[in-house]
Amino acid sequence: MELVLELTVIVILATLLMYLLLSEYTKKRRMNNRMKEFLPSPQMKELVEGQEKEPSVFKRFFLSIARMFNSVQFSERTEKLLVEAGSNLKPEEFFALRILSAAGIAIITGLLGLPWYLFLFAAVFGFIIPKTMMKQKRKKRLARANYQLIEVLGMMANSMRAGFSFMQAMQLVGKEVPDPLGPEFDRVVRQSGLGVPLEDVFEEMVQRLPNNELEVVVRAILAQRKSGGNLAELLETMEDTIRGRVRILEELRTLTAQGRMSSWIITLIPVGLALYLALVNREYFAPMLEHPLGWAMLFVASVSTILGWVFIQKIIRIEV
């Protein structure tokens, strides 16, 4: 019972620690960006420059660790993950964050005096947490692009009917729409202004923001620029099409809600029952943790539970 309680405390403390660190870092970065955008006064510029020249102790320590990995060649998957998640972290900074997370959770485990194998488990768990959170951030960002794309297409169509050019309509989107589509369209305008072909700029945007609906829109716009036609009408047609796709996705999400809930309930029932038996009747559950046959049974049960969860997720995931 004490082992289970200590392990639960470690997981809760590690999760809270990572959440506080990342939320504080994100809050400061968002505040600085808003000050630069809306208050470009000389006093504010001096304040922002002073903050950039004098980073906090934690940030200096973090950057010093990140510099140790400057010469390391990280995989393209890591760089792609950071770009798609909209993170400003460099690959070496992200790796340093994972190292600090693993070290912090391992230190907490050591201070609690837990066995060495739990120490290793906590370190691996802390190393995985930042990547899992970054994948979740990427998933939310890509999902938000679907809803923004409907607004963007309507805005561009109305702007072009009002007399705006195509580039002026994209510039308006870059100023008015928040992340993720707003900054991406603003980047397209700036790159095309520097002489980069529009086809290459759009291809890079699709790579940075891999969204099926956005790719369809980009292909249609490029085809229209080569063949000609009423671009405003084309944008309105694509707006209606994407609105229908999003509505279908929401309906599918509603219909599969029971299956998704069942997957979590079926997966967590064995874990909850094991914790309950370990806390209520330690002597009854002790053979599962102390006897080799109990270890084998726990291993087989864990693998079976994970496979069941994966199969249920495959069934309820419907491509549209």
Side-chain angles (χ1 to χ4, degrees), residues 174-238:
K175 291 181 179 180
E176 299 295 334
V177 179
D179 185 75
L181 287 184
E184 291 295 337
F185 273 80
D186 184 63
R187 185 171 180 174
V188 167
V189 173
R190 286 187 282 107
Q191 287 182 338
S192 61
L194 295 175
V196 182
L198 195 61
E199 291 79 5
D200 298 339
V201 176
F202 274 129
E203 289 291 340
E204 293 179 1
M205 182 178 70
V206 172
Q207 293 177 1
R208 292 191 303 268
L209 199 64
N211 181 277
N212 294 332
E213 283 73 18
L214 179 61
E215 185 175 0
V216 170
V217 171
V218 168
R219 302 300 179 196
I221 291 176
L222 294 179
Q224 189 277 339
R225 290 180 65 85
K226 292 181 180 180
S227 60
N230 191 339
L231 183 56
E233 184 177 352
L234 175 63
L235 294 175
E236 290 180 348
T237 303
M238 289 189 295

Side-chain angles (χ1 to χ4, degrees), residues 51-105:
Q51 291 179 352
E52 293 180 350
K53 292 180 180 178
E54 298 180 0
S56 62
V57 177
F58 174 77
K59 187 175 182 179
R60 288 199 299 268
F61 177 70
F62 173 73
L63 294 177
S64 64
I65 295 179
R67 293 191 195 98
M68 298 171 59
F69 305 102
N70 285 337
S71 59
V72 178
Q73 184 65 31
F74 294 94
S75 63
E76 295 182 358
R77 293 177 58 184
T78 302
E79 297 179 359
K80 190 171 182 291
L81 174 63
L82 296 175
V83 171
E84 293 176 359
S87 175
N88 295 322
L89 293 176
K90 300 178 181 178
E92 59 270 16
E93 294 176 350
F94 181 60
F95 186 74
L97 179 63
R98 299 181 70 181
I99 293 294
L100 290 176
S101 174
I105 297 179

Side-chain angles (χ1 to χ4, degrees), residues 52-167:
E52 293 180 350
K53 292 180 180 178
E54 298 180 0
S56 62
V57 177
F58 174 77
K59 187 175 182 179
R60 288 199 299 268
F61 177 70
F62 173 73
L63 294 177
S64 64
I65 295 179
R67 293 191 195 98
M68 298 171 59
F69 305 102
N70 285 337
S71 59
V72 178
Q73 184 65 31
F74 294 94
S75 63
E76 295 182 358
R77 293 177 58 184
T78 302
E79 297 179 359
K80 190 171 182 291
L81 174 63
L82 296 175
V83 171
E84 293 176 359
S87 175
N88 295 322
L89 293 176
K90 300 178 181 178
E92 59 270 16
E93 294 176 350
F94 181 60
F95 186 74
L97 179 63
R98 299 181 70 181
I99 293 294
L100 290 176
S101 174
I105 297 179
I107 291 173
I108 294 175
T109 307
L111 293 176
L112 293 176
L114 298 178
W116 63 271
Y117 55 86
L118 289 181
F119 179 85
L120 296 177
F121 173 77
V124 174
F125 179 74
F127 189 77
I128 295 175
I129 285 179
K131 188 172 183 179
T132 303
M133 297 180 66
M134 193 63 67
K135 287 182 178 180
Q136 188 67 22
K137 181 180 179 182
R138 177 186 63 180
K139 181 179 178 180
K140 292 182 179 179
R141 186 170 183 262
L142 295 180
R144 191 164 60 247
N146 284 337
Y147 300 95
Q148 286 188 343
L149 191 58
I150 299 174
E151 177 186 356
V152 166
L153 292 175
M155 183 183 299
M156 292 181 64
N158 294 333
S159 300
M160 295 185 69
R161 290 188 182 280
F164 282 47
S165 66
F166 177 68
M167 298 304 298

Side-chain angles (χ1 to χ4, degrees), residues 14-59:
T15 306
L16 290 176
L17 178 62
M18 288 302 305
Y19 175 77
L20 291 175
L21 291 177
L22 293 177
S23 61
E24 185 67 21
Y25 179 78
T26 306
K27 181 179 179 181
K28 289 183 179 180
R29 183 176 293 275
R30 188 185 301 114
M31 182 178 63
N32 290 336
N33 291 336
R34 288 180 64 83
M35 287 192 297
K36 291 179 182 179
E37 180 179 359
F38 296 106
L39 298 174
S41 62
Q43 295 82 2
M44 188 56 63
K45 288 182 179 179
E46 293 178 0
L47 177 60
V48 173
E49 291 176 357
Q51 291 179 352
E52 293 180 350
K53 292 180 180 178
E54 298 180 0
S56 62
V57 177
F58 174 77
K59 187 175 182 179

